[in-house]
Amino acid sequence: MSSTPRIPRDRDDDYSEQAAQQRRDFVAEQTGTRLTHAAHYDFDPQATRGNIEHFTGVIQVPLGIAGPLLVNGEHAQGQFFVPMATAEGTLVASYNRGMRLTREAGGVQVTVADDAMQRSPVFTFASAREARDFGVWIETQMDSIRETAQATTRIGQLRNIEHYAVSRFLYLRFNYTTGDAAGQNMCGKATHAACQWILAHTPYPVLRFSLSGNMDTDKKPSLLNMLHTRGKRVIAECTVPNTLLERIMGVNAQTLYERRIMSMSGAFLAGSLNNGAHAANGITATFIATGQDVANVAESCVGLAVGELTEQGDYYFSITLPSLIVASYGGGTGLPGQRQCLEMMDCYGAGKARKLTEIIAATVLSGELSLAAAVANGDWVTSHEQYGRNR
Amino acid sequence: MSSTPRIPRDRDDDYSEQAAQQRRDFVAEQTGTRLTHAAHYDFDPQATRGNIEHFTGVIQVPLGIAGPLLVNGEHAQGQFFVPMATAEGTLVASYNRGMRLTREAGGVQVTVADDAMQRSPVFTFASAREARDFGVWIETQMDSIRETAQATTRIGQLRNIEHYAVSRFLYLRFNYTTGDAAGQNMCGKATHAACQWILAHTPYPVLRFSLSGNMDTDKKPSLLNMLHTRGKRVIAECTVPNTLLERIMGVNAQTLYERRIMSMSGAFLAGSLNNGAHAANGITATFIATGQDVANVAESCVGLAVGELTEQGDYYFSITLPSLIVASYGGGTGLPGQRQCLEMMDCYGAGKARKLTEIIAATVLSGELSLAAAVANGDWVTSHEQYGRNR
Amino acid sequence: MSSTPRIPRDRDDDYSEQAAQQRRDFVAEQTGTRLTHAAHYDFDPQATRGNIEHFTGVIQVPLGIAGPLLVNGEHAQGQFFVPMATAEGTLVASYNRGMRLTREAGGVQVTVADDAMQRSPVFTFASAREARDFGVWIETQMDSIRETAQATTRIGQLRNIEHYAVSRFLYLRFNYTTGDAAGQNMCGKATHAACQWILAHTPYPVLRFSLSGNMDTDKKPSLLNMLHTRGKRVIAECTVPNTLLERIMGVNAQTLYERRIMSMSGAFLAGSLNNGAHAANGITATFIATGQDVANVAESCVGLAVGELTEQGDYYFSITLPSLIVASYGGGTGLPGQRQCLEMMDCYGAGKARKLTEIIAATVLSGELSLAAAVANGDWVTSHEQYGRNR
Amino acid sequence: MSSTPRIPRDRDDDYSEQAAQQRRDFVAEQTGTRLTHAAHYDFDPQATRGNIEHFTGVIQVPLGIAGPLLVNGEHAQGQFFVPMATAEGTLVASYNRGMRLTREAGGVQVTVADDAMQRSPVFTFASAREARDFGVWIETQMDSIRETAQATTRIGQLRNIEHYAVSRFLYLRFNYTTGDAAGQNMCGKATHAACQWILAHTPYPVLRFSLSGNMDTDKKPSLLNMLHTRGKRVIAECTVPNTLLERIMGVNAQTLYERRIMSMSGAFLAGSLNNGAHAANGITATFIATGQDVANVAESCVGLAVGELTEQGDYYFSITLPSLIVASYGGGTGLPGQRQCLEMMDCYGAGKARKLTEIIAATVLSGELSLAAAVANGDWVTSHEQYGRNR
């Protein structure tokens, strides 16, 4: 194509069905493909303002439910049915099986251990010495910095700032609590304001400034996030009696523990940021269903799984998700179908982000045990034969 | 809740609307929430067999389009409109802006450098010495192992097996080509068969065997995948004239290059598996739109961005995505709306996986430049103010 | 050998030459090798008490000197001759050449950005929730913990405690300043005392306790140490005029910068904890010469090198050594020959650790530039031909 | 200081005692410090040609011996006394105690699983596509490349070349076997020759070339070396009966295993390249004693420790050292005292590198068990009180 066709209304702010139809017509004209299924949505497209540009319709992602999941959290307590949106066969069945196991084992205990969202600007100076001294100065200005940052937001609180000195750069990592929103934009706005204040007041001339120096690390998996939390740091744990493992999963605790050692060693050797099984599956499916920012799977999939054989011969298993980004409002959580999925767990709106976090972590743990058992007893391949699309 | 309610038809294979309705009714009864929006789908739910269990309906994810994206690939050539499904405001606008930039710069050149899918079993022996000798023996049995593996699949080809010796474990990493499918299940099935053959024939008694020892590393970001490819290893690159940067983005090449150094250093220090900006955003949005296994964002988000100032003062930028998992059939690609999104780029079915890979990589590169420029010139926060849901 | 011969005086505390002679005789008798060269030392072996057990003599490591090195530090200022002990040909010559370059460029500016030594115990509880609550309690007990820790040492100061929650474990990372000693044992002793106090007072029953949970990370290279400093975090930097590079090294700034990008990308891909050239060479040689704990090369070799082309076309280069462990007294610094090597730089005893740190960092930087230039202009292999033991 | 004093004979090749004396006099004159102890050596300084420049004397590093160490290797079999040069109190005593434990447990089984030394050049092209095609071309030219490389060395064999594609760079990792030498220079020379051939014959114009692109990764710890071996990949293992642990170390197997899990998790979280205890200690002390290139501790300290509780309740422990660089000739191995230390283990000269490797690995394993036990039963701090220089 030599000319450059232009998407209709690509600069304006029109979220009407007419605009969407124009765009679909344009696609049809340009590519020969009519996006008929995209047109099949049942809400006022104005609802997507702030969620998307060039609104053209919807993608229909299959939804299944799993559970009940028995959660013993501080915010989520009792049995929950968990909505999971995915196109990967066996996923829902596998999580559902794991939920049965953990339920019969007395439920999954879940603890939110930390909670922080970041923006990490970087400042460059004439020399490393100035960068260091600037860092010392920053420490003396925390009140003004906090005040300036927090003036931009009703909810966000600046908790602390980490410093990382490299070359003549100083990376600052601003840690905020952001209530029940995921909070990336809130942090960006607050840190932007704080940095404007810093740039105006610093006695050390700033050679270069960037609002992000890649130590956030936004939309990227990193050891730093594993160490210092991004979003929620949540730990799910369960001690599963050996008899239950044998009865429901056809494996015993000794076998799971032995494989855990092999998997921990393999993950260490692989330079993996998750030494568990498949946390990303459960996280992605619940994220799509509940309107989370699904690209945060990049950070949220990071995890540390620990399995221990108890002295009674049972299996203690935990998974720590140190950078699970969960919101109960804001972003896509308010889209009509997504909101219903939140509501079915009583997780929509203010005060619910930690509850949802606990449910997702408990879901992940259940899925870890289910897959570990399937691998151990050889069901893994055969169940994919049964449910999936092997060829 | 003391009793344990059971999801209707949780073991059977019923993909009818009646079954879905029963499940939605069950949710309503158990939780008080009616999943009315989930019920609004426009295809025969039988189509989801193999994609989900406990089919209950759909999640409607907003769809936008960006483009035209000018791609100079080996499979994708010319201008494309790219479907992106997301709930994150500014995402589509930002990618769209980047596409304008790369289009005016002459397009994005894309190269698929490697292509492999894995399953990585682990074998434990009485001693490390036996493990090592077993590895030597495996090398002598490659013909039989290959034959056995390939007998399970029409498409998969066993390319090679990497060996990793640790303790008395030997991890084998089976590398397959899997045509236009993502191929994880195909590899699982083939490797399972190969390992059964190995277990039956090895002269070295195997103490323990696991079909996965976490060196795949399936659904997890890892340096190993960055080194040795998982799915497609694809490299997108573009040299953007400084004048164009200034005109369209309001930044110059020198600024982008300086910030690239800061970002590369920050990512190195953070132990990040991606030293670029936000590849996960573009990948996730195209993955949802085109029916990819979205949980593979865990692996696919890994990347290496390189920016260089050319002697002419222009900006050469590339992004390498070493573990991008892309399919043009299988999994969710056949779901009706997702298939239309593939078709609008002529990327559905046999022979199209590399084409789609090239388009996604070019999309990612466009988004990297767009965000880098926005951060550099301060637009970042203000554009989120305009398009997003800041609070 | 079926019987088990026993090293003479292996439990007692005899540092006499007679005991050493007995041990050498024993080696001769057991192995047929007389350690005649080991016997050739010129100090009272009592001096090694606290440095070694089973004292048998000495290893004579070749010593060269390099310099003058021009340092612009806060503690080291002016020209220094640097003692380097090594058996690797070309090493001293290469550092010496680099020192000439940095000297003519105006010297190396060095900044100690941080200073901390650690011991990192781990506590296990019945559940992750108790582990978290224990962490909150620790925060409230800082005064008592600090007092208890500091009661064990004249010099060490407990600066802060980092918390890392994983599973039902809580890792605490105690950060101390340790004056001019390396301080590992000081920190071990203080943390041991603090933990005894904690164990006696905690309201949360501790299931298991270990004085080290591998988050120190003592004698091991780690990203955590790169992020949070172990020993000294020191940054050396130098802007080298392009004309000087061309005249002395036969390369230009553009070439060095281009290769730096390739080396930064390679190191990122390799999962390396140092993206520079060969810091370990300069560190090891000065460590042996000055009586440092040479095994700390494991941590000290970690580094981040940043090279930038200035707008004038010169080469700004820096190396950050975030976990360089340096002492000016204690350990081997008091051994007679080692002490002389410290004294020749006026670096022995109280108040000299930072000065020595600055000299070592400036040495490392000089060597980085020298090797980078040698690789760039092809001298590297030929100089090893000339000075080394190629075969 | 405005004038620049110059080290005597800094360009010539004089290894006489007269030249050394001149340099010591120069140091005295410049710094006021007489290096009297450095002058005390007992060999002809000509012996250091190829090991050092500006030979000025020696550093006397204390030497102790530990053992007997019972090794069940393929090259080392029986009991050995191990020379260890260090200034760190308790080190020799701790290794000695561990050797008693492993000896009574029946000895340490050691296996060299792989053996390779590298040089890793990088080539830059106009585009990633050319880089990839260049890689394909390289594969077709392996015979010529191997022939050219091997023409430069009597001993080195080019085993294979790994390819890593990033941006428009292609990193090649040349793997050699180097007999009983460490072989870095041998590999550098051979790879240099091969690359000259490649540059002369490639149909793809090379924009930039560097003999090292930091994927060797020489003198730096890296995950790549952990995965793909640098020097020797050696695995030491031992099953220690619980009764023996209790009798000699005062701990039981269950305790060690529990702490291993905590240490494995801690190391994973810390981004450490060694999840064991203190391998660097044993490696450094034996490296100094036996004339190894001590700076290789940077690579050699990397390790993976695995502990498992056997069904009998005993403790299986192994340590894998994937990048242990060991030579039995070349470099400093021929220095008189160092050679005697090799000879006392019958490890000097041709055919002995693997034997020495096995002894060092067995030493390391013994030290790991000793320290783990000391930490577990609280001896750690008290023994440093007894032997070391705590303050």
Side-chain angles (χ1 to χ4, degrees):
Chain A
M1 308 169 212
S2 55
S3 74
T4 297
R6 186 162 165 181
I7 296 169
R9 300 167 178 257
D10 68 344
R11 298 269 172 117
D12 72 12
D13 205 26
D14 192 339
Y15 285 88
S16 67
E17 162 55 16
Q18 290 84 336
Q21 179 66 50
Q22 265 187 282
R23 294 186 192 110
R24 294 193 301 271
D25 289 347
F26 171 79
V27 167
E29 181 186 297
Q30 293 290 325
T31 72
T33 302
R34 300 207 73 83
L35 297 177
T36 54
H37 295 284
H40 193 78
Y41 52 88
D42 69 345
F43 54 83
D44 180 347
Q46 299 292 343
T48 68
R49 185 184 301 272
N51 293 122
I52 198 157
E53 299 81 45
H54 305 175
F55 176 79
T56 306
V58 299
I59 293 293
Q60 299 172 44
V61 181
L63 175 72
I65 51 173
L69 168 70
L70 182 55
V71 185
N72 168 17
E74 293 173 300
H75 308 273
Q77 291 183 336
Q79 297 193 126
F80 296 89
F81 290 94
V82 180
M84 308 188 86
T86 185
E88 194 199 0
T90 77
L91 191 152
V92 172
S94 176
Y95 277 87
N96 195 58
R97 187 175 77 139
M99 289 176 187
R100 180 183 163 207
L101 179 75
T102 56
R103 191 170 67 233
E104 297 203 14
V108 183
Q109 178 159 327
V110 194
T111 304
V112 175
D114 201 2
D115 187 351
M117 182 47 66
Q118 295 78 30
R119 183 52 61 199
S120 179
V122 56
F123 300 79
T124 300
F125 297 86
S127 72
R129 201 169 298 162
E130 287 193 32
R132 180 202 59 188
D133 294 345
F134 169 79
V136 174
W137 175 78
I138 287 285
E139 284 299 300
T140 67
Q141 306 295 315
M142 282 300 295
D143 289 349
S144 300
I145 293 170
R146 179 173 286 112
E147 192 183 339
T148 309
Q150 293 181 183
T152 65
T153 161
R154 281 183 298 108
I155 292 162
Q157 300 283 323
L158 175 58
R159 202 181 67 179
N160 69 311
I161 303 180
E162 302 160 37
H163 297 213
Y164 298 97
V166 171
S167 188
R168 51 183 177 169
F169 312 145
L170 191 73
Y171 298 83
L172 300 178
R173 195 169 190 256
F174 285 63
N175 285 290
Y176 296 86
T177 54
T178 61
D180 293 287
Q184 292 99 325
N185 295 343
M186 185 194 301
C187 294
K189 192 175 166 186
T191 306
H192 177 72
C195 289
Q196 293 307 314
W197 186 94
I198 289 169
L199 291 167
H201 292 82
T202 170
Y204 303 93
V206 173
L207 226 66
R208 301 196 291 261
F209 160 72
S210 177
L211 187 52
S212 175
N214 250 357
M215 291 198 63
D216 318 286
T217 48
D218 190 31
K219 299 278 161 73
K220 292 174 284 284
S222 77
L223 198 88
L224 180 54
N225 286 347
M226 189 193 274
L227 282 162
H228 286 308
T229 302
R230 183 169 173 82
K232 308 295 187 253
R233 185 180 204 88
V234 59
I235 305 168
E237 50 190 342
C238 187
T239 298
V240 188
N242 187 49
T243 50
L244 203 61
L245 280 172
E246 290 183 334
R247 178 162 56 82
I248 299 185
M249 311 305 260
V251 294
N252 63 36
Q254 174 74 22
T255 298
L256 289 184
Y257 143 75
E258 287 169 354
R259 277 139 199 279
R260 191 91 283 278
I261 298 287
M262 297 191 291
S263 289
M264 287 174 81
S265 300
F268 186 77
L269 183 58
S272 179
L273 287 172
N274 185 324
N275 66 2
H278 67 141
N281 274 333
I283 292 167
T284 306
T286 52
F287 272 25
I288 297 176
T290 61
Q292 307 300 313
D293 183 349
V294 188
N296 284 330
V297 167
E299 296 122 309
S300 301
C301 66
V302 170
L304 298 101
V306 173
E308 298 188 74
L309 208 55
T310 68
E311 295 190 33
Q312 293 72 40
D314 297 327
Y315 191 53
Y316 168 86
F317 181 78
S318 74
I319 188 148
T320 302
L321 302 171
S323 47
L324 186 71
I325 303 178
V326 173
S328 62
Y329 74 80
T333 59
L335 292 168
Q338 286 82 334
R339 177 171 173 165
Q340 287 180 341
C341 283
L342 286 166
E343 288 171 343
M344 70 178 265
M345 300 180 288
D346 183 29
C347 284
Y348 181 73
K352 302 295 184 184
R354 291 186 170 216
K355 182 179 184 186
L356 180 57
T357 299
E358 291 175 347
I359 293 171
I360 293 176
T363 299
V364 167
L365 182 133
S366 301
E368 294 289 292
L369 287 169
S370 180
L371 180 52
V375 173
N377 69 15
D379 281 358
W380 190 22
V381 167
T382 49
S383 65
H384 274 274
E385 286 298 288
Q386 181 186 347
Y387 293 114
R389 289 184 179 279
N390 267 328
R391 63 207 64 227
Chain B
M1 307 168 213
S2 56
S3 76
T4 299
R6 187 163 166 180
I7 295 168
R9 297 169 179 259
D10 69 343
R11 297 269 172 116
D12 73 11
D13 206 25
D14 191 338
Y15 285 87
S16 66
E17 164 53 17
Q18 289 85 336
Q21 181 65 51
Q22 266 188 284
R23 294 185 192 111
R24 294 193 300 271
D25 290 346
F26 171 80
V27 166
E29 180 187 297
Q30 294 289 325
T31 72
T33 303
R34 301 209 71 83
L35 298 177
T36 55
H37 295 284
H40 194 77
Y41 52 87
D42 70 345
F43 54 83
D44 181 345
Q46 298 293 341
T48 66
R49 185 185 300 273
N51 292 123
I52 199 158
E53 301 80 47
H54 305 176
F55 176 80
T56 306
V58 299
I59 293 293
Q60 299 172 45
V61 181
L63 175 72
I65 52 174
L69 168 70
L70 182 55
V71 185
N72 169 15
E74 293 173 302
H75 307 275
Q77 291 184 336
Q79 298 192 125
F80 297 89
F81 291 94
V82 180
M84 307 187 87
T86 184
E88 194 200 359
T90 79
L91 191 152
V92 172
S94 176
Y95 277 87
N96 194 58
R97 185 174 79 137
M99 290 176 186
R100 179 181 164 209
L101 179 74
T102 57
R103 189 172 67 235
E104 296 202 17
V108 183
Q109 179 159 327
V110 194
T111 304
V112 175
D114 201 2
D115 188 351
M117 183 47 67
Q118 296 76 29
R119 184 51 61 200
S120 182
V122 56
F123 300 79
T124 300
F125 298 86
S127 72
R129 200 169 297 162
E130 286 193 33
R132 181 199 61 189
D133 294 345
F134 170 79
V136 174
W137 174 80
I138 286 285
E139 284 300 299
T140 67
Q141 306 294 315
M142 282 300 294
D143 289 349
S144 301
I145 292 170
R146 180 173 285 110
E147 192 182 338
T148 309
Q150 293 182 184
T152 65
T153 160
R154 280 181 301 107
I155 292 162
Q157 299 283 324
L158 175 59
R159 203 181 67 179
N160 70 310
I161 303 180
E162 302 160 36
H163 295 211
Y164 298 98
V166 171
S167 187
R168 52 183 177 170
F169 312 146
L170 192 73
Y171 298 83
L172 299 178
R173 196 168 187 257
F174 285 64
N175 285 289
Y176 296 86
T177 55
T178 62
D180 292 287
Q184 292 98 325
N185 295 343
M186 187 193 300
C187 294
K189 192 175 164 186
T191 306
H192 177 72
C195 289
Q196 293 306 314
W197 185 94
I198 289 168
L199 291 168
H201 290 83
T202 173
Y204 303 93
V206 173
L207 225 65
R208 302 197 289 261
F209 161 73
S210 176
L211 187 52
S212 175
N214 249 357
M215 291 198 62
D216 317 287
T217 45
D218 189 32
K219 300 276 161 73
K220 291 173 285 282
S222 76
L223 198 91
L224 180 54
N225 286 347
M226 188 193 274
L227 283 163
H228 287 309
T229 304
R230 183 168 174 83
K232 309 295 187 252
R233 185 181 203 86
V234 59
I235 305 168
E237 48 189 344
C238 186
T239 299
V240 188
N242 187 48
T243 50
L244 203 61
L245 280 171
E246 289 181 334
R247 178 163 55 83
I248 300 185
M249 312 304 259
V251 293
N252 62 37
Q254 175 75 24
T255 299
L256 289 184
Y257 142 76
E258 287 169 353
R259 276 137 201 279
R260 190 89 286 278
I261 298 286
M262 297 191 290
S263 289
M264 287 174 80
S265 300
F268 186 76
L269 182 58
S272 178
L273 287 173
N274 186 325
N275 66 2
H278 66 141
N281 274 333
I283 292 168
T284 305
T286 53
F287 272 25
I288 297 176
T290 62
Q292 307 299 313
D293 183 349
V294 188
N296 284 330
V297 167
E299 295 122 309
S300 300
C301 66
V302 170
L304 297 101
V306 173
E308 299 188 73
L309 208 55
T310 70
E311 295 190 31
Q312 291 73 39
D314 297 327
Y315 192 53
Y316 168 86
F317 182 77
S318 73
I319 187 149
T320 302
L321 301 171
S323 46
L324 186 71
I325 303 179
V326 174
S328 61
Y329 74 80
T333 60
L335 292 168
Q338 286 82 336
R339 179 171 171 165
Q340 287 180 341
C341 283
L342 287 166
E343 287 171 344
M344 71 178 265
M345 300 179 289
D346 183 29
C347 283
Y348 181 72
K352 301 295 184 186
R354 289 186 172 217
K355 183 180 183 186
L356 179 58
T357 299
E358 292 176 347
I359 293 171
I360 293 176
T363 298
V364 166
L365 181 132
S366 301
E368 295 289 291
L369 288 169
S370 180
L371 180 52
V375 174
N377 68 16
D379 282 358
W380 191 21
V381 167
T382 50
S383 65
H384 274 275
E385 285 298 289
Q386 181 186 348
Y387 293 115
R389 289 184 179 279
N390 266 330
R391 66 205 64 224
Chain C
M1 307 171 212
S2 56
S3 76
T4 298
R6 184 162 167 183
I7 295 169
R9 296 166 180 261
D10 68 342
R11 298 271 171 116
D12 72 14
D13 205 24
D14 191 340
Y15 284 87
S16 66
E17 163 54 17
Q18 289 84 336
Q21 181 64 52
Q22 266 188 281
R23 292 184 193 112
R24 293 193 301 272
D25 289 346
F26 171 78
V27 167
E29 181 187 297
Q30 295 290 325
T31 72
T33 301
R34 301 208 71 83
L35 297 176
T36 55
H37 295 285
H40 194 77
Y41 54 87
D42 69 345
F43 54 82
D44 181 346
Q46 298 294 340
T48 66
R49 187 184 299 273
N51 292 123
I52 198 157
E53 299 82 47
H54 306 176
F55 176 78
T56 306
V58 299
I59 292 294
Q60 300 172 43
V61 181
L63 174 73
I65 51 175
L69 169 70
L70 183 55
V71 185
N72 169 16
E74 292 171 302
H75 308 274
Q77 290 184 338
Q79 297 192 127
F80 296 89
F81 290 94
V82 180
M84 307 188 87
T86 184
E88 193 199 0
T90 78
L91 191 153
V92 172
S94 176
Y95 278 87
N96 195 58
R97 187 174 78 138
M99 289 176 187
R100 180 182 163 208
L101 179 73
T102 56
R103 191 171 65 233
E104 298 202 15
V108 182
Q109 178 159 327
V110 193
T111 303
V112 176
D114 201 2
D115 188 351
M117 181 49 66
Q118 296 76 30
R119 184 52 60 200
S120 181
V122 55
F123 300 78
T124 301
F125 297 86
S127 73
R129 200 169 297 161
E130 286 193 31
R132 182 200 60 189
D133 293 345
F134 169 79
V136 173
W137 175 79
I138 287 284
E139 284 299 298
T140 66
Q141 306 294 315
M142 282 301 293
D143 289 348
S144 301
I145 292 170
R146 180 173 286 111
E147 191 183 340
T148 309
Q150 293 181 184
T152 65
T153 161
R154 280 183 300 108
I155 294 162
Q157 299 283 324
L158 176 59
R159 202 181 67 180
N160 69 309
I161 302 179
E162 300 160 37
H163 296 212
Y164 298 98
V166 171
S167 187
R168 52 183 176 169
F169 312 146
L170 191 74
Y171 298 83
L172 299 179
R173 197 169 186 256
F174 284 65
N175 286 288
Y176 297 87
T177 54
T178 61
D180 293 286
Q184 293 97 326
N185 295 342
M186 186 193 300
C187 295
K189 193 175 163 185
T191 307
H192 177 73
C195 289
Q196 293 307 314
W197 185 93
I198 290 169
L199 291 168
H201 292 80
T202 172
Y204 303 94
V206 173
L207 224 65
R208 301 197 290 262
F209 161 72
S210 177
L211 187 52
S212 175
N214 250 357
M215 290 198 64
D216 317 289
T217 48
D218 189 32
K219 301 277 162 71
K220 291 173 286 281
S222 76
L223 198 91
L224 179 54
N225 286 346
M226 188 192 274
L227 283 163
H228 286 309
T229 304
R230 182 167 173 84
K232 309 293 188 255
R233 185 180 203 89
V234 59
I235 305 169
E237 49 188 344
C238 188
T239 299
V240 189
N242 186 48
T243 51
L244 202 62
L245 279 172
E246 289 181 336
R247 179 162 56 81
I248 298 185
M249 311 306 260
V251 294
N252 62 36
Q254 174 75 24
T255 300
L256 289 184
Y257 142 74
E258 287 169 353
R259 276 138 202 278
R260 190 91 284 280
I261 298 285
M262 296 192 289
S263 289
M264 285 174 82
S265 300
F268 186 77
L269 182 57
S272 179
L273 287 173
N274 185 325
N275 67 2
H278 67 142
N281 274 332
I283 291 167
T284 306
T286 52
F287 272 25
I288 297 177
T290 61
Q292 306 299 314
D293 184 349
V294 188
N296 284 330
V297 167
E299 294 122 309
S300 300
C301 66
V302 169
L304 297 102
V306 173
E308 298 188 73
L309 209 54
T310 69
E311 294 191 32
Q312 293 72 39
D314 299 326
Y315 191 54
Y316 167 86
F317 182 76
S318 73
I319 186 148
T320 302
L321 301 172
S323 47
L324 187 70
I325 303 178
V326 174
S328 61
Y329 73 81
T333 60
L335 292 168
Q338 286 82 335
R339 178 169 171 167
Q340 288 180 342
C341 284
L342 287 166
E343 287 171 343
M344 70 178 266
M345 299 179 289
D346 182 30
C347 284
Y348 181 72
K352 301 296 184 185
R354 288 185 173 218
K355 182 179 184 187
L356 179 58
T357 298
E358 291 176 347
I359 294 171
I360 293 176
T363 298
V364 166
L365 181 133
S366 301
E368 295 290 291
L369 287 169
S370 180
L371 180 53
V375 173
N377 68 16
D379 282 359
W380 189 22
V381 167
T382 50
S383 65
H384 274 275
E385 285 299 286
Q386 181 186 346
Y387 293 114
R389 290 184 178 279
N390 265 329
R391 63 206 67 225
Chain D
M1 303 169 217
S2 57
S3 77
T4 298
R6 186 162 165 184
I7 295 169
R9 298 165 180 259
D10 69 342
R11 296 271 172 117
D12 72 11
D13 206 25
D14 192 337
Y15 284 88
S16 67
E17 163 53 16
Q18 289 84 335
Q21 180 64 52
Q22 267 187 280
R23 294 185 192 111
R24 294 193 300 270
D25 289 346
F26 171 81
V27 167
E29 181 186 295
Q30 294 290 324
T31 72
T33 303
R34 301 207 71 84
L35 298 176
T36 54
H37 295 286
H40 193 77
Y41 53 86
D42 69 345
F43 53 83
D44 181 346
Q46 298 293 342
T48 67
R49 187 185 298 274
N51 292 123
I52 198 158
E53 300 81 46
H54 305 175
F55 175 80
T56 305
V58 299
I59 293 293
Q60 300 171 44
V61 181
L63 175 72
I65 51 173
L69 169 69
L70 183 54
V71 185
N72 169 16
E74 291 172 301
H75 307 275
Q77 291 184 336
Q79 297 192 124
F80 298 88
F81 289 94
V82 180
M84 308 188 86
T86 185
E88 194 200 359
T90 77
L91 190 152
V92 173
S94 175
Y95 278 86
N96 195 59
R97 185 174 78 137
M99 289 178 188
R100 180 182 163 208
L101 178 74
T102 56
R103 191 171 65 234
E104 297 202 17
V108 183
Q109 178 159 326
V110 193
T111 303
V112 176
D114 201 1
D115 188 351
M117 182 47 66
Q118 294 79 29
R119 184 51 62 200
S120 180
V122 56
F123 300 79
T124 301
F125 298 86
S127 72
R129 200 170 296 162
E130 286 193 33
R132 180 200 61 189
D133 293 345
F134 170 79
V136 173
W137 174 80
I138 286 284
E139 284 299 298
T140 67
Q141 306 294 316
M142 281 300 295
D143 288 349
S144 301
I145 292 169
R146 180 173 286 112
E147 193 183 338
T148 308
Q150 293 182 183
T152 65
T153 161
R154 281 182 300 107
I155 292 162
Q157 300 284 322
L158 175 58
R159 201 180 68 178
N160 69 310
I161 302 180
E162 302 160 37
H163 296 212
Y164 298 98
V166 172
S167 187
R168 51 184 178 169
F169 313 145
L170 191 73
Y171 298 84
L172 299 179
R173 196 168 188 255
F174 284 64
N175 286 290
Y176 296 87
T177 54
T178 62
D180 293 288
Q184 292 99 326
N185 296 342
M186 186 192 301
C187 294
K189 193 176 165 185
T191 306
H192 177 73
C195 290
Q196 293 306 313
W197 186 94
I198 289 169
L199 291 167
H201 291 83
T202 170
Y204 303 94
V206 173
L207 225 66
R208 301 197 292 261
F209 160 71
S210 176
L211 187 52
S212 175
N214 249 357
M215 291 197 64
D216 315 289
T217 48
D218 190 32
K219 300 277 161 71
K220 291 173 285 284
S222 76
L223 199 90
L224 180 54
N225 286 346
M226 189 193 273
L227 283 162
H228 286 310
T229 303
R230 183 166 172 84
K232 309 295 188 253
R233 186 181 203 87
V234 58
I235 305 168
E237 49 189 343
C238 187
T239 299
V240 189
N242 186 48
T243 51
L244 203 59
L245 281 171
E246 289 183 334
R247 178 161 57 81
I248 300 184
M249 312 305 259
V251 294
N252 62 36
Q254 174 75 22
T255 299
L256 290 184
Y257 142 76
E258 286 170 354
R259 276 140 200 278
R260 190 90 285 278
I261 298 287
M262 296 191 289
S263 290
M264 289 174 79
S265 300
F268 186 78
L269 181 58
S272 178
L273 286 172
N274 185 325
N275 66 3
H278 67 141
N281 274 332
I283 291 168
T284 305
T286 52
F287 272 24
I288 296 177
T290 62
Q292 307 300 313
D293 184 349
V294 188
N296 284 331
V297 167
E299 295 122 309
S300 300
C301 66
V302 170
L304 299 101
V306 174
E308 298 188 73
L309 208 55
T310 69
E311 295 192 31
Q312 291 72 40
D314 298 326
Y315 191 53
Y316 168 87
F317 182 76
S318 73
I319 186 147
T320 302
L321 301 171
S323 48
L324 186 71
I325 303 179
V326 174
S328 61
Y329 75 81
T333 60
L335 292 168
Q338 287 81 337
R339 178 169 170 167
Q340 287 179 341
C341 283
L342 287 165
E343 287 171 343
M344 71 177 266
M345 298 179 289
D346 184 30
C347 282
Y348 181 71
K352 301 295 184 186
R354 290 187 172 216
K355 183 180 182 184
L356 179 57
T357 299
E358 291 175 347
I359 293 171
I360 294 175
T363 297
V364 167
L365 181 133
S366 301
E368 294 290 291
L369 287 170
S370 179
L371 180 52
V375 173
N377 67 18
D379 282 357
W380 191 21
V381 167
T382 51
S383 64
H384 273 274
E385 286 298 288
Q386 180 186 350
Y387 293 115
R389 289 183 179 279
N390 266 328
R391 63 207 65 229

